Short mmCIF file of all heavy atoms in Angstrom, two decimals:
data_model
loop_
_atom_site.label_atom_id
_atom_site.label_comp_id
_atom_site.label_asym_id
_atom_site.label_seq_id
_atom_site.Cartn_x
_atom_site.Cartn_y
_atom_site.Cartn_z
N LYS A 1 1.67 -10.70 7.43
CA LYS A 1 2.42 -9.95 6.31
C LYS A 1 1.84 -8.60 6.13
O LYS A 1 0.65 -8.38 6.06
CB LYS A 1 2.23 -10.79 5.02
CG LYS A 1 2.84 -12.05 5.04
CD LYS A 1 2.71 -12.87 3.76
CE LYS A 1 3.39 -14.24 3.91
NZ LYS A 1 3.26 -15.02 2.67
N PHE A 2 2.72 -7.63 6.10
CA PHE A 2 2.31 -6.20 5.88
C PHE A 2 2.26 -5.84 4.52
O PHE A 2 2.94 -6.56 3.69
CB PHE A 2 3.29 -5.32 6.70
CG PHE A 2 3.12 -5.30 8.19
CD1 PHE A 2 3.58 -6.47 8.99
CD2 PHE A 2 2.46 -4.34 8.92
CE1 PHE A 2 3.39 -6.52 10.34
CE2 PHE A 2 2.32 -4.32 10.26
CZ PHE A 2 2.74 -5.47 10.96
N GLN A 3 1.61 -4.76 4.16
CA GLN A 3 1.58 -4.19 2.82
C GLN A 3 2.97 -3.95 2.23
O GLN A 3 3.71 -3.44 2.94
CB GLN A 3 0.64 -3.06 2.78
CG GLN A 3 -0.84 -3.35 3.17
CD GLN A 3 -1.03 -3.24 4.78
OE1 GLN A 3 -0.10 -3.44 5.56
NE2 GLN A 3 -2.17 -3.01 5.12
N SER A 4 3.15 -4.15 0.99
CA SER A 4 4.40 -3.88 0.39
C SER A 4 4.35 -2.82 -0.79
O SER A 4 5.20 -2.73 -1.59
CB SER A 4 5.05 -5.20 -0.12
OG SER A 4 4.16 -5.76 -1.14
N CYS A 5 3.31 -2.10 -0.76
CA CYS A 5 3.11 -1.03 -1.76
C CYS A 5 2.69 0.23 -1.06
O CYS A 5 1.91 0.16 -0.09
CB CYS A 5 2.02 -1.39 -2.85
SG CYS A 5 2.41 -2.88 -3.74
N TRP A 6 3.24 1.40 -1.50
CA TRP A 6 3.00 2.67 -0.85
C TRP A 6 2.57 3.63 -1.94
O TRP A 6 3.08 3.55 -3.08
CB TRP A 6 4.35 3.08 -0.11
CG TRP A 6 4.20 4.46 0.46
CD1 TRP A 6 3.40 5.02 1.26
CD2 TRP A 6 5.34 5.47 0.30
NE1 TRP A 6 3.73 6.22 1.62
CE2 TRP A 6 4.96 6.55 1.00
CE3 TRP A 6 6.56 5.43 -0.41
CZ2 TRP A 6 5.77 7.77 1.06
CZ3 TRP A 6 7.26 6.60 -0.38
CH2 TRP A 6 6.89 7.67 0.34
N ASP A 7 1.76 4.54 -1.56
CA ASP A 7 1.23 5.61 -2.59
C ASP A 7 2.38 6.61 -2.85
O ASP A 7 2.15 7.51 -3.75
CB ASP A 7 0.03 6.30 -2.11
CG ASP A 7 0.12 7.19 -0.92
OD1 ASP A 7 1.20 7.49 -0.36
OD2 ASP A 7 -0.94 7.60 -0.37
N GLY A 8 3.50 6.63 -2.22
CA GLY A 8 4.67 7.50 -2.54
C GLY A 8 4.44 8.94 -1.92
O GLY A 8 5.26 9.81 -2.17
N GLN A 9 3.43 9.21 -1.16
CA GLN A 9 3.13 10.51 -0.76
C GLN A 9 2.81 10.60 0.71
O GLN A 9 3.38 11.32 1.49
CB GLN A 9 2.01 11.11 -1.47
CG GLN A 9 2.26 11.37 -2.91
CD GLN A 9 1.00 11.88 -3.65
OE1 GLN A 9 0.01 12.27 -3.05
NE2 GLN A 9 1.07 11.95 -4.98
N ASN A 10 1.91 9.76 1.20
CA ASN A 10 1.36 9.88 2.61
C ASN A 10 2.10 8.90 3.54
O ASN A 10 2.28 7.73 3.22
CB ASN A 10 -0.11 9.58 2.58
CG ASN A 10 -0.91 10.59 1.71
OD1 ASN A 10 -0.89 11.77 2.03
ND2 ASN A 10 -1.43 10.15 0.56
N ILE A 11 2.41 9.45 4.69
CA ILE A 11 3.05 8.55 5.69
C ILE A 11 2.03 7.80 6.54
O ILE A 11 2.38 6.93 7.33
CB ILE A 11 4.07 9.31 6.52
CG1 ILE A 11 3.33 10.46 7.35
CG2 ILE A 11 5.25 9.81 5.76
CD1 ILE A 11 4.17 11.16 8.36
N ASP A 12 0.74 8.20 6.50
CA ASP A 12 -0.34 7.62 7.26
C ASP A 12 -1.61 8.02 6.64
O ASP A 12 -1.65 8.88 5.74
CB ASP A 12 -0.28 8.12 8.73
CG ASP A 12 -0.96 7.16 9.60
OD1 ASP A 12 -1.60 6.15 9.19
OD2 ASP A 12 -1.00 7.40 10.88
N SER A 13 -2.72 7.37 7.01
CA SER A 13 -3.98 7.77 6.48
C SER A 13 -5.03 7.54 7.70
O SER A 13 -4.59 6.91 8.73
CB SER A 13 -4.44 6.91 5.30
OG SER A 13 -4.34 5.55 5.56
N ALA A 14 -6.18 8.02 7.60
CA ALA A 14 -7.06 7.94 8.70
C ALA A 14 -7.31 6.48 9.26
O ALA A 14 -7.46 6.32 10.47
CB ALA A 14 -8.52 8.55 8.30
N ASN A 15 -7.45 5.54 8.32
CA ASN A 15 -7.57 4.15 8.77
C ASN A 15 -6.32 3.37 8.77
O ASN A 15 -6.29 2.17 8.98
CB ASN A 15 -8.57 3.44 7.82
CG ASN A 15 -8.11 3.38 6.42
OD1 ASN A 15 -6.99 3.68 6.03
ND2 ASN A 15 -8.97 2.79 5.57
N HIS A 16 -5.10 4.08 8.54
CA HIS A 16 -3.78 3.46 8.56
C HIS A 16 -3.59 2.38 7.43
O HIS A 16 -2.64 1.60 7.44
CB HIS A 16 -3.38 2.85 9.95
CG HIS A 16 -3.74 3.76 11.12
ND1 HIS A 16 -3.17 4.96 11.26
CD2 HIS A 16 -4.54 3.51 12.18
CE1 HIS A 16 -3.67 5.53 12.35
NE2 HIS A 16 -4.52 4.68 12.88
N ARG A 17 -4.51 2.45 6.44
CA ARG A 17 -4.48 1.49 5.32
C ARG A 17 -4.44 2.12 3.99
O ARG A 17 -3.83 1.59 3.03
CB ARG A 17 -5.65 0.55 5.42
CG ARG A 17 -5.62 -0.42 6.52
CD ARG A 17 -6.92 -1.36 6.49
NE ARG A 17 -6.86 -2.41 7.34
CZ ARG A 17 -7.08 -2.39 8.68
NH1 ARG A 17 -7.30 -1.27 9.24
NH2 ARG A 17 -7.05 -3.46 9.47
N ASP A 18 -5.16 3.19 3.74
CA ASP A 18 -5.33 3.74 2.42
C ASP A 18 -4.07 4.18 1.72
O ASP A 18 -4.08 4.23 0.47
CB ASP A 18 -6.32 4.93 2.40
CG ASP A 18 -7.72 4.38 2.73
OD1 ASP A 18 -8.09 3.16 2.59
OD2 ASP A 18 -8.60 5.22 3.04
N HIS A 19 -2.97 4.41 2.46
CA HIS A 19 -1.81 4.97 1.81
C HIS A 19 -0.84 3.77 1.47
O HIS A 19 0.20 3.99 0.83
CB HIS A 19 -1.05 5.87 2.75
CG HIS A 19 -0.65 5.22 4.08
ND1 HIS A 19 -1.59 4.73 4.98
CD2 HIS A 19 0.61 5.07 4.62
CE1 HIS A 19 -0.88 4.28 6.02
NE2 HIS A 19 0.37 4.38 5.85
N VAL A 20 -1.25 2.50 1.79
CA VAL A 20 -0.45 1.42 1.49
C VAL A 20 -1.40 0.31 0.85
O VAL A 20 -2.64 0.41 1.03
CB VAL A 20 0.26 0.79 2.77
CG1 VAL A 20 1.40 1.75 3.18
CG2 VAL A 20 -0.70 0.51 3.88
N ALA A 21 -0.82 -0.65 0.20
CA ALA A 21 -1.63 -1.68 -0.48
C ALA A 21 -0.83 -2.95 -0.59
O ALA A 21 0.43 -2.90 -0.42
CB ALA A 21 -2.08 -1.22 -1.80
N PHE A 22 -1.49 -4.08 -0.79
CA PHE A 22 -0.79 -5.34 -0.95
C PHE A 22 -0.57 -5.46 -2.49
O PHE A 22 -1.35 -5.09 -3.33
CB PHE A 22 -1.72 -6.49 -0.57
CG PHE A 22 -1.78 -6.66 1.01
CD1 PHE A 22 -2.84 -6.18 1.71
CD2 PHE A 22 -0.70 -7.28 1.74
CE1 PHE A 22 -2.83 -6.31 3.07
CE2 PHE A 22 -0.83 -7.44 3.07
CZ PHE A 22 -1.85 -6.90 3.74
N ALA A 23 0.54 -6.05 -2.80
CA ALA A 23 0.91 -6.42 -4.19
C ALA A 23 0.02 -7.51 -4.66
O ALA A 23 -0.46 -8.40 -3.75
CB ALA A 23 2.41 -6.73 -4.29
N ALA A 24 -0.13 -7.65 -5.91
CA ALA A 24 -0.93 -8.83 -6.36
C ALA A 24 -0.21 -10.13 -5.97
O ALA A 24 0.97 -10.15 -6.23
CB ALA A 24 -1.11 -8.69 -7.94
N PRO A 25 -0.95 -11.07 -5.41
CA PRO A 25 -0.33 -12.25 -4.93
C PRO A 25 0.45 -13.05 -5.97
O PRO A 25 1.49 -13.56 -5.74
CB PRO A 25 -1.42 -13.13 -4.35
CG PRO A 25 -2.69 -12.15 -4.22
CD PRO A 25 -2.43 -11.05 -5.15
N LYS A 26 -0.11 -13.21 -7.20
CA LYS A 26 0.59 -14.00 -8.19
C LYS A 26 1.71 -13.28 -8.90
O LYS A 26 2.74 -13.91 -9.30
CB LYS A 26 -0.46 -14.49 -9.22
CG LYS A 26 -1.40 -15.57 -8.65
CD LYS A 26 -2.34 -16.08 -9.62
CE LYS A 26 -3.30 -17.05 -8.94
NZ LYS A 26 -4.28 -17.60 -9.79
N THR A 27 1.64 -12.00 -9.09
CA THR A 27 2.60 -11.14 -9.92
C THR A 27 3.59 -10.34 -9.07
O THR A 27 4.55 -9.99 -9.57
CB THR A 27 1.88 -10.32 -10.93
OG1 THR A 27 1.14 -9.29 -10.20
CG2 THR A 27 0.96 -11.20 -11.79
N GLY A 28 3.11 -9.99 -7.83
CA GLY A 28 3.84 -9.09 -7.11
C GLY A 28 3.83 -7.63 -7.51
O GLY A 28 4.61 -6.77 -7.02
N VAL A 29 2.99 -7.36 -8.40
CA VAL A 29 2.78 -6.01 -8.90
C VAL A 29 1.96 -5.18 -7.97
O VAL A 29 0.86 -5.58 -7.50
CB VAL A 29 2.14 -6.06 -10.44
CG1 VAL A 29 1.89 -4.62 -10.93
CG2 VAL A 29 3.14 -6.76 -11.27
N CYS A 30 2.39 -3.89 -7.78
CA CYS A 30 1.62 -2.95 -6.93
C CYS A 30 0.42 -2.44 -7.80
O CYS A 30 0.53 -2.31 -9.02
CB CYS A 30 2.42 -1.80 -6.51
SG CYS A 30 3.69 -2.27 -5.26
N PRO A 31 -0.63 -2.01 -7.16
CA PRO A 31 -1.76 -1.36 -7.82
C PRO A 31 -1.34 -0.01 -8.46
O PRO A 31 -0.32 0.54 -8.05
CB PRO A 31 -2.84 -1.08 -6.74
CG PRO A 31 -2.39 -1.95 -5.59
CD PRO A 31 -0.93 -2.13 -5.70
N ASN A 32 -2.04 0.42 -9.42
CA ASN A 32 -1.75 1.78 -10.06
C ASN A 32 -1.65 2.84 -9.04
O ASN A 32 -2.44 2.88 -8.10
CB ASN A 32 -2.79 2.15 -11.07
CG ASN A 32 -2.66 1.31 -12.32
OD1 ASN A 32 -1.59 0.75 -12.69
ND2 ASN A 32 -3.72 1.27 -13.17
N GLY A 33 -0.60 3.67 -9.21
CA GLY A 33 -0.46 4.77 -8.19
C GLY A 33 0.39 4.41 -7.02
O GLY A 33 0.75 5.22 -6.16
N PHE A 34 0.80 3.21 -6.86
CA PHE A 34 1.59 2.59 -5.68
C PHE A 34 2.91 2.18 -6.20
O PHE A 34 3.08 1.61 -7.35
CB PHE A 34 0.83 1.58 -5.01
CG PHE A 34 -0.45 2.02 -4.23
CD1 PHE A 34 -1.57 2.18 -4.86
CD2 PHE A 34 -0.31 2.25 -2.83
CE1 PHE A 34 -2.66 2.70 -4.02
CE2 PHE A 34 -1.39 2.65 -2.10
CZ PHE A 34 -2.58 2.85 -2.74
N GLN A 35 3.94 2.20 -5.30
CA GLN A 35 5.21 1.72 -5.70
C GLN A 35 5.64 0.72 -4.59
O GLN A 35 5.17 0.71 -3.37
CB GLN A 35 6.27 2.87 -5.70
CG GLN A 35 6.42 3.54 -4.29
CD GLN A 35 7.31 4.80 -4.38
OE1 GLN A 35 7.24 5.57 -5.37
NE2 GLN A 35 8.06 5.07 -3.33
#
């Protein structure tokens, strides 16, 4: 499963992870600053 939240700005990051995040497993809500 790939990350389903994006910072809305960056298409990549040095580690290919910091610009995306996983939604909370129980709620599906993205972390602050992510859509």
Side-chain angles (χ1 to χ4, degrees):
K1 294 181 179 178
F2 286 75
Q3 298 86 332
S4 61
C5 302
W6 173 52
D7 69 8
Q9 297 176 5
N10 300 295
I11 60 171
D12 202 356
S13 54
N15 64 5
H16 313 301
R17 288 181 170 76
D18 289 342
H19 64 297
V20 290
F22 287 99
K26 292 184 180 177
T27 64
V29 175
C30 289
N32 284 341
F34 287 81
Q35 64 187 34

